[in-house]
Amino acid sequence: MSENLRSWRQWIEPWYFSYALLGASVAGLAPIMLPLAVGRRGSVADIGLVVGAFNLGGLTAPAWGGLADRYGLHRWLLLAGLSLTALALAAFPFIPSLNFELVLALAQGAGAVSAATVANLYIVETHPQSEWNERIGWLQTFYGGGQVAGLVVAAFSGNPRTGILVAAGLLAVAFL
């Protein structure tokens, strides 16, 4: 095995693939599919509220980081975030109520940011500082690659409901 091939592989851990699936779901598919799904039955204001609720969930990042650091719950919060996001995405197409969609979008955002926050913290907490740049760089490369793949899947998705369920399925696989 060549030294270059071995050198980049040393920074990548198998769970980075779960992070790529998170990127595909919440940065690729969800930002396209959620507004399309809401727009089929609601107004532009409804779309804005749902997207706003999703992003409001993202503001819970400091709470997840604090819990992970205080109690060493990195792995559990990663799994809980993936699960919460998958469940909220899976329920979204079946509940045509704006109020419930807002709750689900908030849960999706909170779950996604929980997983994303603790993934980065896990690297910082378990590896020496001299490795952080490479490991976090590769982790973000996986997330970005997942985002691009999710956007491509969104482009070819037949309808928003299918796209949202695919996003939920990807997160279920990420959980495993």
Side-chain angles (χ1 to χ4, degrees):
M1 183 180 296
S2 77
E3 187 61 35
N4 286 343
L5 183 60
R6 195 176 109 106
S7 67
W8 69 265
R9 281 189 177 172
Q10 72 185 1
W11 307 115
I12 298 172
E13 298 181 44
W15 65 270
Y16 288 16
F17 291 100
S18 293
Y19 201 62
L21 294 175
L22 178 69
S25 296
V26 300
L29 281 159
I32 304 293
M33 295 299 154
L34 292 176
L36 289 174
V38 173
R40 287 194 166 185
R41 59 127 203 93
S43 67
V44 172
D46 293 347
I47 294 169
L49 288 170
V50 168
V51 171
F54 182 88
N55 288 303
L56 182 63
L59 296 178
T60 62
W64 305 123
L67 283 172
D69 284 342
R70 181 169 294 138
Y71 299 108
L73 299 172
H74 299 84
R75 181 175 298 170
W76 293 109
L77 288 173
L78 174 64
L79 293 174
L82 293 171
S83 299
L84 177 62
T85 308
L87 292 172
L89 280 166
F92 195 90
F94 300 104
I95 311 296
S97 157
L98 179 61
N99 289 334
F100 199 64
E101 286 173 343
L102 292 172
V103 170
L104 290 173
L106 182 68
Q108 292 162 19
V113 79
S114 170
T117 300
V118 298
N120 286 283
L121 287 175
Y122 185 72
I123 290 173
V124 172
E125 300 289 334
T126 60
H127 296 285
Q129 187 173 0
S130 61
E131 297 180 6
W132 292 354
N133 288 342
E134 288 84 0
R135 290 187 184 278
I136 292 173
W138 278 107
L139 181 68
Q140 295 309 315
T141 299
F142 273 72
Y143 188 86
Q147 178 181 9
V148 170
L151 290 167
V152 169
V153 170
F156 294 105
S157 184
N159 65 52
R161 182 180 190 163
T162 301
I164 293 169
L165 292 175
V166 167
L170 291 174
L171 289 172
V173 170
F175 179 84
L176 298 175

